[in-house]
Amino acid sequence: MTKMQEEKKPQTKCQSEFGQLTHVVVCPPAYMEIRKVINETQKHYLNHNIDQHAAMEQHTDFVKVLRDNGVDVMSVPAKEPFNEQVYTRDIGFCIGDTLFVSNMEDDIRKGETKILREWLKEQGLTYKDVTEGTIEGGDVVVDGQRVWIGLSKRTDEKAVQQIQQQLPDYEVIAVKIREDILHLDCVFNLVRDDLAILYPDAFNEEDLERFRKLYKTIEISEEEQFYMGTNILSIAPDKLLSLPSNKRVNEALRKEGVTVIEVNFSEIIKSGGSFRCCSLPLQRQ
């Protein structure tokens, strides 16, 4: 590691989903394709598979927008066996100053965490492994001392309990999501401490009312959920990335005083994730 790299090495710290993003980990979609259907979105696009060249161009544009907005973008190496590797959010997550490496549910993705661990060691960054149950970072949404964790096909109660044990100063809240939903961030995301985007049909009535009491909500339709209406990425307070196709959601955000940067990600979303899924924040101010 060079002297400059040492000086720039981030200290992991993420207390929210919307603070100024300073350091983030991505992975280029060099080998991205739908090989084995593991979610409903992939099933839809199976006969119109991912154009890898277009996906790489879109990801390059995504990284440029981040860098143009002052974000230090770091990349883990893409490896041919791992066609889902672009979704770095799933393989790890940061809560406060603790970086966790996920325990993946699907065998097709378990090798990605090994690559992440090797990369973190090269960067001199410490982390904790989740060893109980299974959990993926797409199911983890941080709001200060409150952490929402979605119970999905990928994340279970055992993992939630381990997170709570390791972070006793946090309130870790498990939220059951509809069985066909991939991750919590596909149906719920925070824009700021008083504003959330959510897909109401993904939750039971009790959890839905809990969200509505805590946040003003921009509620999206089934079609908007399919096209990743909640899967925005905040890069600063009241500034975020969103898909240009989600016109109604973007307009609702702008009415709330949010700067919306529209980036085409049409190839990336074919595998079931968008901007939040493609980013592993290490540090937010």
PDB file of all heavy atoms in Angstrom, residues 36 38 79 81-85 87 90-92 101-118 129-131 133-136 153-154:
ATOM      1  N   LYS A  36     -28.403 -18.729 -13.396  1.00  0.00           N
ATOM      2  CA  LYS A  36     -29.378 -19.509 -12.638  1.00  0.00           C
ATOM      3  C   LYS A  36     -30.363 -18.520 -12.025  1.00  0.00           C
ATOM      4  O   LYS A  36     -29.953 -17.594 -11.327  1.00  0.00           O
ATOM      5  CB  LYS A  36     -28.669 -20.299 -11.537  1.00  0.00           C
ATOM      6  CG  LYS A  36     -29.608 -20.971 -10.542  1.00  0.00           C
ATOM      7  CD  LYS A  36     -28.814 -21.498  -9.342  1.00  0.00           C
ATOM      8  CE  LYS A  36     -29.746 -21.937  -8.232  1.00  0.00           C
ATOM      9  NZ  LYS A  36     -29.019 -22.310  -7.000  1.00  0.00           N
ATOM     10  N   ILE A  38     -32.488 -16.766  -9.556  1.00  0.00           N
ATOM     11  CA  ILE A  38     -32.568 -16.797  -8.097  1.00  0.00           C
ATOM     12  C   ILE A  38     -33.502 -15.707  -7.555  1.00  0.00           C
ATOM     13  O   ILE A  38     -33.565 -15.500  -6.346  1.00  0.00           O
ATOM     14  CB  ILE A  38     -31.169 -16.671  -7.444  1.00  0.00           C
ATOM     15  CG1 ILE A  38     -30.455 -15.384  -7.887  1.00  0.00           C
ATOM     16  CG2 ILE A  38     -30.318 -17.889  -7.754  1.00  0.00           C
ATOM     17  CD1 ILE A  38     -29.115 -15.151  -7.187  1.00  0.00           C
ATOM     18  N   LYS A  79     -14.406 -11.536 -10.630  1.00  0.00           N
ATOM     19  CA  LYS A  79     -13.936 -12.874 -10.948  1.00  0.00           C
ATOM     20  C   LYS A  79     -15.001 -13.608 -11.767  1.00  0.00           C
ATOM     21  O   LYS A  79     -16.190 -13.559 -11.441  1.00  0.00           O
ATOM     22  CB  LYS A  79     -13.639 -13.665  -9.668  1.00  0.00           C
ATOM     23  CG  LYS A  79     -12.606 -13.012  -8.746  1.00  0.00           C
ATOM     24  CD  LYS A  79     -11.214 -13.041  -9.346  1.00  0.00           C
ATOM     25  CE  LYS A  79     -10.179 -12.511  -8.348  1.00  0.00           C
ATOM     26  NZ  LYS A  79      -8.809 -12.547  -8.909  1.00  0.00           N
ATOM     27  N   PRO A  81     -16.274 -16.632 -12.101  1.00  0.00           N
ATOM     28  CA  PRO A  81     -17.339 -17.515 -11.594  1.00  0.00           C
ATOM     29  C   PRO A  81     -18.522 -16.787 -10.954  1.00  0.00           C
ATOM     30  O   PRO A  81     -19.590 -17.376 -10.788  1.00  0.00           O
ATOM     31  CB  PRO A  81     -16.616 -18.372 -10.533  1.00  0.00           C
ATOM     32  CG  PRO A  81     -15.163 -18.252 -10.856  1.00  0.00           C
ATOM     33  CD  PRO A  81     -14.996 -16.881 -11.427  1.00  0.00           C
ATOM     34  N   PHE A  82     -18.335 -15.492 -10.605  1.00  0.00           N
ATOM     35  CA  PHE A  82     -19.324 -14.818  -9.767  1.00  0.00           C
ATOM     36  C   PHE A  82     -20.075 -13.757 -10.568  1.00  0.00           C
ATOM     37  O   PHE A  82     -19.698 -12.584 -10.597  1.00  0.00           O
ATOM     38  CB  PHE A  82     -18.632 -14.216  -8.540  1.00  0.00           C
ATOM     39  CG  PHE A  82     -17.828 -15.242  -7.772  1.00  0.00           C
ATOM     40  CD1 PHE A  82     -16.469 -15.112  -7.629  1.00  0.00           C
ATOM     41  CD2 PHE A  82     -18.452 -16.353  -7.217  1.00  0.00           C
ATOM     42  CE1 PHE A  82     -15.721 -16.059  -6.942  1.00  0.00           C
ATOM     43  CE2 PHE A  82     -17.724 -17.311  -6.529  1.00  0.00           C
ATOM     44  CZ  PHE A  82     -16.352 -17.168  -6.391  1.00  0.00           C
ATOM     45  N   ASN A  83     -21.155 -14.179 -11.188  1.00  0.00           N
ATOM     46  CA  ASN A  83     -21.899 -13.297 -12.093  1.00  0.00           C
ATOM     47  C   ASN A  83     -22.759 -12.273 -11.369  1.00  0.00           C
ATOM     48  O   ASN A  83     -23.261 -11.336 -11.983  1.00  0.00           O
ATOM     49  CB  ASN A  83     -22.781 -14.130 -13.028  1.00  0.00           C
ATOM     50  CG  ASN A  83     -23.731 -15.058 -12.287  1.00  0.00           C
ATOM     51  OD1 ASN A  83     -23.301 -15.834 -11.442  1.00  0.00           O
ATOM     52  ND2 ASN A  83     -25.009 -14.988 -12.607  1.00  0.00           N
ATOM     53  N   GLU A  84     -22.927 -12.407 -10.034  1.00  0.00           N
ATOM     54  CA  GLU A  84     -23.721 -11.448  -9.259  1.00  0.00           C
ATOM     55  C   GLU A  84     -22.845 -10.452  -8.498  1.00  0.00           C
ATOM     56  O   GLU A  84     -23.342  -9.697  -7.670  1.00  0.00           O
ATOM     57  CB  GLU A  84     -24.596 -12.206  -8.251  1.00  0.00           C
ATOM     58  CG  GLU A  84     -25.619 -13.136  -8.866  1.00  0.00           C
ATOM     59  CD  GLU A  84     -26.751 -12.381  -9.535  1.00  0.00           C
ATOM     60  OE1 GLU A  84     -27.313 -11.472  -8.908  1.00  0.00           O
ATOM     61  OE2 GLU A  84     -27.050 -12.686 -10.702  1.00  0.00           O
ATOM     62  N   GLN A  85     -21.552 -10.450  -8.768  1.00  0.00           N
ATOM     63  CA  GLN A  85     -20.595  -9.730  -7.933  1.00  0.00           C
ATOM     64  C   GLN A  85     -20.781  -8.220  -7.930  1.00  0.00           C
ATOM     65  O   GLN A  85     -20.322  -7.537  -7.010  1.00  0.00           O
ATOM     66  CB  GLN A  85     -19.177 -10.077  -8.397  1.00  0.00           C
ATOM     67  CG  GLN A  85     -18.151 -10.098  -7.298  1.00  0.00           C
ATOM     68  CD  GLN A  85     -16.774 -10.490  -7.811  1.00  0.00           C
ATOM     69  OE1 GLN A  85     -16.628 -10.965  -8.944  1.00  0.00           O
ATOM     70  NE2 GLN A  85     -15.765 -10.295  -6.993  1.00  0.00           N
ATOM     71  N   TYR A  87     -23.236  -6.650  -7.132  1.00  0.00           N
ATOM     72  CA  TYR A  87     -24.078  -6.251  -6.004  1.00  0.00           C
ATOM     73  C   TYR A  87     -23.291  -6.348  -4.692  1.00  0.00           C
ATOM     74  O   TYR A  87     -23.503  -7.237  -3.868  1.00  0.00           O
ATOM     75  CB  TYR A  87     -25.344  -7.101  -5.956  1.00  0.00           C
ATOM     76  CG  TYR A  87     -26.216  -6.950  -7.185  1.00  0.00           C
ATOM     77  CD1 TYR A  87     -26.708  -8.063  -7.853  1.00  0.00           C
ATOM     78  CD2 TYR A  87     -26.537  -5.685  -7.687  1.00  0.00           C
ATOM     79  CE1 TYR A  87     -27.519  -7.933  -8.983  1.00  0.00           C
ATOM     80  CE2 TYR A  87     -27.330  -5.543  -8.810  1.00  0.00           C
ATOM     81  CZ  TYR A  87     -27.820  -6.663  -9.456  1.00  0.00           C
ATOM     82  OH  TYR A  87     -28.616  -6.518 -10.579  1.00  0.00           O
ATOM     83  N   ASP A  90     -24.712  -6.657  -0.877  1.00  0.00           N
ATOM     84  CA  ASP A  90     -25.179  -7.897  -0.274  1.00  0.00           C
ATOM     85  C   ASP A  90     -24.100  -8.615   0.526  1.00  0.00           C
ATOM     86  O   ASP A  90     -24.404  -9.319   1.493  1.00  0.00           O
ATOM     87  CB  ASP A  90     -25.700  -8.847  -1.365  1.00  0.00           C
ATOM     88  CG  ASP A  90     -26.913  -8.297  -2.076  1.00  0.00           C
ATOM     89  OD1 ASP A  90     -27.569  -7.402  -1.511  1.00  0.00           O
ATOM     90  OD2 ASP A  90     -27.202  -8.754  -3.197  1.00  0.00           O
ATOM     91  N   ILE A  91     -22.848  -8.463   0.144  1.00  0.00           N
ATOM     92  CA  ILE A  91     -21.782  -9.249   0.762  1.00  0.00           C
ATOM     93  C   ILE A  91     -21.233  -8.630   2.043  1.00  0.00           C
ATOM     94  O   ILE A  91     -20.435  -9.260   2.742  1.00  0.00           O
ATOM     95  CB  ILE A  91     -20.643  -9.526  -0.234  1.00  0.00           C
ATOM     96  CG1 ILE A  91     -20.026  -8.224  -0.764  1.00  0.00           C
ATOM     97  CG2 ILE A  91     -21.145 -10.401  -1.373  1.00  0.00           C
ATOM     98  CD1 ILE A  91     -18.824  -8.442  -1.668  1.00  0.00           C
ATOM     99  N   GLY A  92     -21.660  -7.413   2.354  1.00  0.00           N
ATOM    100  CA  GLY A  92     -21.208  -6.775   3.584  1.00  0.00           C
ATOM    101  C   GLY A  92     -22.088  -5.597   3.931  1.00  0.00           C
ATOM    102  O   GLY A  92     -22.865  -5.118   3.104  1.00  0.00           O
ATOM    103  N   VAL A 101     -19.091  -8.821   7.415  1.00  0.00           N
ATOM    104  CA  VAL A 101     -19.123  -9.591   6.174  1.00  0.00           C
ATOM    105  C   VAL A 101     -20.298 -10.553   6.269  1.00  0.00           C
ATOM    106  O   VAL A 101     -20.453 -11.267   7.270  1.00  0.00           O
ATOM    107  CB  VAL A 101     -17.806 -10.350   5.939  1.00  0.00           C
ATOM    108  CG1 VAL A 101     -17.931 -11.267   4.722  1.00  0.00           C
ATOM    109  CG2 VAL A 101     -16.658  -9.361   5.727  1.00  0.00           C
ATOM    110  N   SER A 102     -21.126 -10.557   5.253  1.00  0.00           N
ATOM    111  CA  SER A 102     -22.375 -11.306   5.274  1.00  0.00           C
ATOM    112  C   SER A 102     -22.132 -12.815   5.255  1.00  0.00           C
ATOM    113  O   SER A 102     -21.061 -13.296   4.872  1.00  0.00           O
ATOM    114  CB  SER A 102     -23.223 -10.930   4.062  1.00  0.00           C
ATOM    115  OG  SER A 102     -23.512  -9.553   4.048  1.00  0.00           O
ATOM    116  N   ASN A 103     -23.163 -13.542   5.659  1.00  0.00           N
ATOM    117  CA  ASN A 103     -23.194 -14.994   5.524  1.00  0.00           C
ATOM    118  C   ASN A 103     -24.270 -15.301   4.494  1.00  0.00           C
ATOM    119  O   ASN A 103     -25.461 -15.276   4.807  1.00  0.00           O
ATOM    120  CB  ASN A 103     -23.493 -15.663   6.865  1.00  0.00           C
ATOM    121  CG  ASN A 103     -23.180 -17.141   6.867  1.00  0.00           C
ATOM    122  OD1 ASN A 103     -22.578 -17.650   5.928  1.00  0.00           O
ATOM    123  ND2 ASN A 103     -23.573 -17.835   7.912  1.00  0.00           N
ATOM    124  N   MET A 104     -23.854 -15.563   3.262  1.00  0.00           N
ATOM    125  CA  MET A 104     -24.768 -15.628   2.137  1.00  0.00           C
ATOM    126  C   MET A 104     -25.612 -16.903   2.158  1.00  0.00           C
ATOM    127  O   MET A 104     -25.118 -17.984   2.490  1.00  0.00           O
ATOM    128  CB  MET A 104     -24.004 -15.559   0.814  1.00  0.00           C
ATOM    129  CG  MET A 104     -23.011 -14.407   0.738  1.00  0.00           C
ATOM    130  SD  MET A 104     -23.799 -12.790   0.808  1.00  0.00           S
ATOM    131  CE  MET A 104     -24.488 -12.676  -0.842  1.00  0.00           C
ATOM    132  N   GLU A 105     -26.882 -16.757   1.767  1.00  0.00           N
ATOM    133  CA  GLU A 105     -27.788 -17.900   1.751  1.00  0.00           C
ATOM    134  C   GLU A 105     -27.586 -18.757   0.510  1.00  0.00           C
ATOM    135  O   GLU A 105     -27.637 -19.989   0.579  1.00  0.00           O
ATOM    136  CB  GLU A 105     -29.244 -17.395   1.825  1.00  0.00           C
ATOM    137  CG  GLU A 105     -30.287 -18.499   1.964  1.00  0.00           C
ATOM    138  CD  GLU A 105     -30.714 -19.099   0.626  1.00  0.00           C
ATOM    139  OE1 GLU A 105     -30.598 -18.411  -0.409  1.00  0.00           O
ATOM    140  OE2 GLU A 105     -31.147 -20.259   0.625  1.00  0.00           O
ATOM    141  N   ASP A 106     -27.335 -18.114  -0.643  1.00  0.00           N
ATOM    142  CA  ASP A 106     -27.255 -18.859  -1.892  1.00  0.00           C
ATOM    143  C   ASP A 106     -25.811 -19.263  -2.186  1.00  0.00           C
ATOM    144  O   ASP A 106     -24.905 -18.435  -2.181  1.00  0.00           O
ATOM    145  CB  ASP A 106     -27.796 -17.997  -3.045  1.00  0.00           C
ATOM    146  CG  ASP A 106     -28.202 -18.832  -4.244  1.00  0.00           C
ATOM    147  OD1 ASP A 106     -27.305 -19.469  -4.838  1.00  0.00           O
ATOM    148  OD2 ASP A 106     -29.396 -18.868  -4.590  1.00  0.00           O
ATOM    149  N   ASP A 107     -25.610 -20.553  -2.471  1.00  0.00           N
ATOM    150  CA  ASP A 107     -24.260 -21.073  -2.728  1.00  0.00           C
ATOM    151  C   ASP A 107     -23.569 -20.344  -3.863  1.00  0.00           C
ATOM    152  O   ASP A 107     -22.337 -20.196  -3.846  1.00  0.00           O
ATOM    153  CB  ASP A 107     -24.329 -22.571  -3.059  1.00  0.00           C
ATOM    154  CG  ASP A 107     -24.662 -23.427  -1.849  1.00  0.00           C
ATOM    155  OD1 ASP A 107     -24.493 -22.927  -0.718  1.00  0.00           O
ATOM    156  OD2 ASP A 107     -25.107 -24.572  -2.031  1.00  0.00           O
ATOM    157  N   ILE A 108     -24.342 -19.885  -4.841  1.00  0.00           N
ATOM    158  CA  ILE A 108     -23.771 -19.236  -6.010  1.00  0.00           C
ATOM    159  C   ILE A 108     -23.002 -17.963  -5.643  1.00  0.00           C
ATOM    160  O   ILE A 108     -22.132 -17.507  -6.377  1.00  0.00           O
ATOM    161  CB  ILE A 108     -24.876 -18.930  -7.049  1.00  0.00           C
ATOM    162  CG1 ILE A 108     -24.282 -18.692  -8.435  1.00  0.00           C
ATOM    163  CG2 ILE A 108     -25.707 -17.730  -6.644  1.00  0.00           C
ATOM    164  CD1 ILE A 108     -25.327 -18.581  -9.531  1.00  0.00           C
ATOM    165  N   ARG A 109     -23.281 -17.408  -4.457  1.00  0.00           N
ATOM    166  CA  ARG A 109     -22.676 -16.122  -4.080  1.00  0.00           C
ATOM    167  C   ARG A 109     -21.698 -16.218  -2.906  1.00  0.00           C
ATOM    168  O   ARG A 109     -21.071 -15.209  -2.551  1.00  0.00           O
ATOM    169  CB  ARG A 109     -23.781 -15.111  -3.755  1.00  0.00           C
ATOM    170  CG  ARG A 109     -24.760 -14.911  -4.901  1.00  0.00           C
ATOM    171  CD  ARG A 109     -25.517 -13.628  -4.768  1.00  0.00           C
ATOM    172  NE  ARG A 109     -24.625 -12.493  -4.815  1.00  0.00           N
ATOM    173  CZ  ARG A 109     -24.991 -11.247  -4.488  1.00  0.00           C
ATOM    174  NH1 ARG A 109     -26.221 -11.027  -4.075  1.00  0.00           N
ATOM    175  NH2 ARG A 109     -24.133 -10.267  -4.550  1.00  0.00           N
ATOM    176  N   LYS A 110     -21.530 -17.387  -2.315  1.00  0.00           N
ATOM    177  CA  LYS A 110     -20.690 -17.484  -1.125  1.00  0.00           C
ATOM    178  C   LYS A 110     -19.223 -17.159  -1.400  1.00  0.00           C
ATOM    179  O   LYS A 110     -18.526 -16.636  -0.541  1.00  0.00           O
ATOM    180  CB  LYS A 110     -20.836 -18.872  -0.503  1.00  0.00           C
ATOM    181  CG  LYS A 110     -22.180 -19.069   0.178  1.00  0.00           C
ATOM    182  CD  LYS A 110     -22.305 -20.429   0.852  1.00  0.00           C
ATOM    183  CE  LYS A 110     -23.657 -20.534   1.559  1.00  0.00           C
ATOM    184  NZ  LYS A 110     -23.852 -21.853   2.210  1.00  0.00           N
ATOM    185  N   GLY A 111     -18.756 -17.466  -2.621  1.00  0.00           N
ATOM    186  CA  GLY A 111     -17.366 -17.155  -2.957  1.00  0.00           C
ATOM    187  C   GLY A 111     -17.064 -15.671  -2.983  1.00  0.00           C
ATOM    188  O   GLY A 111     -15.901 -15.268  -2.824  1.00  0.00           O
ATOM    189  N   GLU A 112     -18.099 -14.837  -3.164  1.00  0.00           N
ATOM    190  CA  GLU A 112     -17.892 -13.388  -3.198  1.00  0.00           C
ATOM    191  C   GLU A 112     -17.388 -12.856  -1.856  1.00  0.00           C
ATOM    192  O   GLU A 112     -16.624 -11.890  -1.814  1.00  0.00           O
ATOM    193  CB  GLU A 112     -19.195 -12.683  -3.573  1.00  0.00           C
ATOM    194  CG  GLU A 112     -19.696 -13.016  -4.964  1.00  0.00           C
ATOM    195  CD  GLU A 112     -21.043 -12.364  -5.236  1.00  0.00           C
ATOM    196  OE1 GLU A 112     -21.247 -11.214  -4.814  1.00  0.00           O
ATOM    197  OE2 GLU A 112     -21.901 -13.022  -5.851  1.00  0.00           O
ATOM    198  N   THR A 113     -17.849 -13.460  -0.757  1.00  0.00           N
ATOM    199  CA  THR A 113     -17.413 -12.972   0.553  1.00  0.00           C
ATOM    200  C   THR A 113     -15.947 -13.289   0.797  1.00  0.00           C
ATOM    201  O   THR A 113     -15.250 -12.532   1.482  1.00  0.00           O
ATOM    202  CB  THR A 113     -18.284 -13.558   1.680  1.00  0.00           C
ATOM    203  OG1 THR A 113     -18.264 -14.980   1.612  1.00  0.00           O
ATOM    204  CG2 THR A 113     -19.718 -13.057   1.563  1.00  0.00           C
ATOM    205  N   LYS A 114     -15.452 -14.391   0.259  1.00  0.00           N
ATOM    206  CA  LYS A 114     -14.020 -14.713   0.379  1.00  0.00           C
ATOM    207  C   LYS A 114     -13.176 -13.649  -0.310  1.00  0.00           C
ATOM    208  O   LYS A 114     -12.162 -13.190   0.239  1.00  0.00           O
ATOM    209  CB  LYS A 114     -13.740 -16.086  -0.226  1.00  0.00           C
ATOM    210  CG  LYS A 114     -12.274 -16.503  -0.124  1.00  0.00           C
ATOM    211  CD  LYS A 114     -12.041 -17.876  -0.747  1.00  0.00           C
ATOM    212  CE  LYS A 114     -10.551 -18.249  -0.668  1.00  0.00           C
ATOM    213  NZ  LYS A 114     -10.295 -19.567  -1.309  1.00  0.00           N
ATOM    214  N   ILE A 115     -13.602 -13.237  -1.501  1.00  0.00           N
ATOM    215  CA  ILE A 115     -12.881 -12.187  -2.225  1.00  0.00           C
ATOM    216  C   ILE A 115     -12.916 -10.886  -1.440  1.00  0.00           C
ATOM    217  O   ILE A 115     -11.913 -10.168  -1.340  1.00  0.00           O
ATOM    218  CB  ILE A 115     -13.493 -11.995  -3.628  1.00  0.00           C
ATOM    219  CG1 ILE A 115     -13.281 -13.255  -4.469  1.00  0.00           C
ATOM    220  CG2 ILE A 115     -12.895 -10.778  -4.324  1.00  0.00           C
ATOM    221  CD1 ILE A 115     -14.051 -13.265  -5.772  1.00  0.00           C
ATOM    222  N   LEU A 116     -14.078 -10.568  -0.833  1.00  0.00           N
ATOM    223  CA  LEU A 116     -14.192  -9.346  -0.041  1.00  0.00           C
ATOM    224  C   LEU A 116     -13.242  -9.382   1.157  1.00  0.00           C
ATOM    225  O   LEU A 116     -12.553  -8.394   1.438  1.00  0.00           O
ATOM    226  CB  LEU A 116     -15.629  -9.142   0.426  1.00  0.00           C
ATOM    227  CG  LEU A 116     -15.863  -7.936   1.343  1.00  0.00           C
ATOM    228  CD1 LEU A 116     -15.538  -6.630   0.620  1.00  0.00           C
ATOM    229  CD2 LEU A 116     -17.294  -7.907   1.865  1.00  0.00           C
ATOM    230  N   ARG A 117     -13.198 -10.508   1.863  1.00  0.00           N
ATOM    231  CA  ARG A 117     -12.304 -10.617   3.023  1.00  0.00           C
ATOM    232  C   ARG A 117     -10.844 -10.390   2.623  1.00  0.00           C
ATOM    233  O   ARG A 117     -10.104  -9.670   3.305  1.00  0.00           O
ATOM    234  CB  ARG A 117     -12.453 -11.993   3.682  1.00  0.00           C
ATOM    235  CG  ARG A 117     -13.752 -12.200   4.430  1.00  0.00           C
ATOM    236  CD  ARG A 117     -13.725 -13.528   5.172  1.00  0.00           C
ATOM    237  NE  ARG A 117     -15.057 -13.873   5.656  1.00  0.00           N
ATOM    238  CZ  ARG A 117     -15.911 -14.646   5.002  1.00  0.00           C
ATOM    239  NH1 ARG A 117     -15.572 -15.167   3.815  1.00  0.00           N
ATOM    240  NH2 ARG A 117     -17.107 -14.901   5.499  1.00  0.00           N
ATOM    241  N   GLU A 118     -10.443 -10.998   1.519  1.00  0.00           N
ATOM    242  CA  GLU A 118      -9.065 -10.833   1.046  1.00  0.00           C
ATOM    243  C   GLU A 118      -8.786  -9.376   0.718  1.00  0.00           C
ATOM    244  O   GLU A 118      -7.720  -8.844   1.050  1.00  0.00           O
ATOM    245  CB  GLU A 118      -8.823 -11.720  -0.178  1.00  0.00           C
ATOM    246  CG  GLU A 118      -8.841 -13.212   0.134  1.00  0.00           C
ATOM    247  CD  GLU A 118      -8.841 -14.079  -1.114  1.00  0.00           C
ATOM    248  OE1 GLU A 118      -8.992 -13.514  -2.228  1.00  0.00           O
ATOM    249  OE2 GLU A 118      -8.704 -15.311  -0.984  1.00  0.00           O
ATOM    250  N   ASP A 129     -17.278 -11.332  10.978  1.00  0.00           N
ATOM    251  CA  ASP A 129     -18.078 -12.274  10.201  1.00  0.00           C
ATOM    252  C   ASP A 129     -19.408 -12.537  10.911  1.00  0.00           C
ATOM    253  O   ASP A 129     -19.444 -12.660  12.138  1.00  0.00           O
ATOM    254  CB  ASP A 129     -17.347 -13.608  10.042  1.00  0.00           C
ATOM    255  CG  ASP A 129     -16.249 -13.549   8.997  1.00  0.00           C
ATOM    256  OD1 ASP A 129     -16.526 -13.067   7.881  1.00  0.00           O
ATOM    257  OD2 ASP A 129     -15.119 -13.982   9.296  1.00  0.00           O
ATOM    258  N   VAL A 130     -20.471 -12.629  10.130  1.00  0.00           N
ATOM    259  CA  VAL A 130     -21.724 -13.141  10.664  1.00  0.00           C
ATOM    260  C   VAL A 130     -21.667 -14.662  10.522  1.00  0.00           C
ATOM    261  O   VAL A 130     -21.524 -15.182   9.416  1.00  0.00           O
ATOM    262  CB  VAL A 130     -22.939 -12.582   9.916  1.00  0.00           C
ATOM    263  CG1 VAL A 130     -24.229 -13.154  10.505  1.00  0.00           C
ATOM    264  CG2 VAL A 130     -22.962 -11.059   9.987  1.00  0.00           C
ATOM    265  N   THR A 131     -21.745 -15.359  11.632  1.00  0.00           N
ATOM    266  CA  THR A 131     -21.571 -16.814  11.631  1.00  0.00           C
ATOM    267  C   THR A 131     -22.847 -17.572  11.969  1.00  0.00           C
ATOM    268  O   THR A 131     -22.926 -18.779  11.771  1.00  0.00           O
ATOM    269  CB  THR A 131     -20.476 -17.214  12.639  1.00  0.00           C
ATOM    270  OG1 THR A 131     -20.830 -16.705  13.939  1.00  0.00           O
ATOM    271  CG2 THR A 131     -19.125 -16.642  12.223  1.00  0.00           C
ATOM    272  N   GLY A 133     -26.818 -18.242  11.344  1.00  0.00           N
ATOM    273  CA  GLY A 133     -27.858 -18.022  10.352  1.00  0.00           C
ATOM    274  C   GLY A 133     -27.295 -17.450   9.060  1.00  0.00           C
ATOM    275  O   GLY A 133     -26.108 -17.588   8.749  1.00  0.00           O
ATOM    276  N   THR A 134     -28.147 -16.778   8.302  1.00  0.00           N
ATOM    277  CA  THR A 134     -27.728 -16.132   7.056  1.00  0.00           C
ATOM    278  C   THR A 134     -28.233 -14.701   7.035  1.00  0.00           C
ATOM    279  O   THR A 134     -29.289 -14.378   7.594  1.00  0.00           O
ATOM    280  CB  THR A 134     -28.282 -16.875   5.822  1.00  0.00           C
ATOM    281  OG1 THR A 134     -29.720 -16.886   5.870  1.00  0.00           O
ATOM    282  CG2 THR A 134     -27.766 -18.298   5.764  1.00  0.00           C
ATOM    283  N   ILE A 135     -27.462 -13.835   6.395  1.00  0.00           N
ATOM    284  CA  ILE A 135     -27.851 -12.427   6.263  1.00  0.00           C
ATOM    285  C   ILE A 135     -27.145 -11.834   5.057  1.00  0.00           C
ATOM    286  O   ILE A 135     -26.011 -12.206   4.736  1.00  0.00           O
ATOM    287  CB  ILE A 135     -27.508 -11.619   7.536  1.00  0.00           C
ATOM    288  CG1 ILE A 135     -28.119 -10.207   7.475  1.00  0.00           C
ATOM    289  CG2 ILE A 135     -25.999 -11.557   7.777  1.00  0.00           C
ATOM    290  CD1 ILE A 135     -28.063  -9.456   8.800  1.00  0.00           C
ATOM    291  N   GLU A 136     -27.823 -10.930   4.362  1.00  0.00           N
ATOM    292  CA  GLU A 136     -27.246 -10.185   3.257  1.00  0.00           C
ATOM    293  C   GLU A 136     -27.499  -8.695   3.481  1.00  0.00           C
ATOM    294  O   GLU A 136     -28.524  -8.307   4.041  1.00  0.00           O
ATOM    295  CB  GLU A 136     -27.824 -10.665   1.924  1.00  0.00           C
ATOM    296  CG  GLU A 136     -27.514 -12.143   1.674  1.00  0.00           C
ATOM    297  CD  GLU A 136     -27.919 -12.637   0.301  1.00  0.00           C
ATOM    298  OE1 GLU A 136     -28.364 -11.816  -0.533  1.00  0.00           O
ATOM    299  OE2 GLU A 136     -27.788 -13.854   0.059  1.00  0.00           O
ATOM    300  N   LYS A 153     -35.919 -14.531   2.360  1.00  0.00           N
ATOM    301  CA  LYS A 153     -35.346 -15.836   2.050  1.00  0.00           C
ATOM    302  C   LYS A 153     -33.835 -15.836   2.275  1.00  0.00           C
ATOM    303  O   LYS A 153     -33.230 -16.902   2.408  1.00  0.00           O
ATOM    304  CB  LYS A 153     -35.659 -16.213   0.595  1.00  0.00           C
ATOM    305  CG  LYS A 153     -37.112 -16.586   0.353  1.00  0.00           C
ATOM    306  CD  LYS A 153     -37.309 -17.023  -1.090  1.00  0.00           C
ATOM    307  CE  LYS A 153     -38.745 -17.464  -1.337  1.00  0.00           C
ATOM    308  NZ  LYS A 153     -38.949 -17.873  -2.752  1.00  0.00           N
ATOM    309  N   ARG A 154     -33.222 -14.641   2.313  1.00  0.00           N
ATOM    310  CA  ARG A 154     -31.774 -14.533   2.436  1.00  0.00           C
ATOM    311  C   ARG A 154     -31.307 -14.216   3.857  1.00  0.00           C
ATOM    312  O   ARG A 154     -30.122 -14.349   4.156  1.00  0.00           O
ATOM    313  CB  ARG A 154     -31.264 -13.435   1.499  1.00  0.00           C
ATOM    314  CG  ARG A 154     -31.725 -13.543   0.048  1.00  0.00           C
ATOM    315  CD  ARG A 154     -31.091 -14.718  -0.671  1.00  0.00           C
ATOM    316  NE  ARG A 154     -31.420 -14.732  -2.087  1.00  0.00           N
ATOM    317  CZ  ARG A 154     -30.734 -14.097  -3.028  1.00  0.00           C
ATOM    318  NH1 ARG A 154     -29.680 -13.372  -2.706  1.00  0.00           N
ATOM    319  NH2 ARG A 154     -31.093 -14.189  -4.289  1.00  0.00           N
TER     320      ARG A 154
END
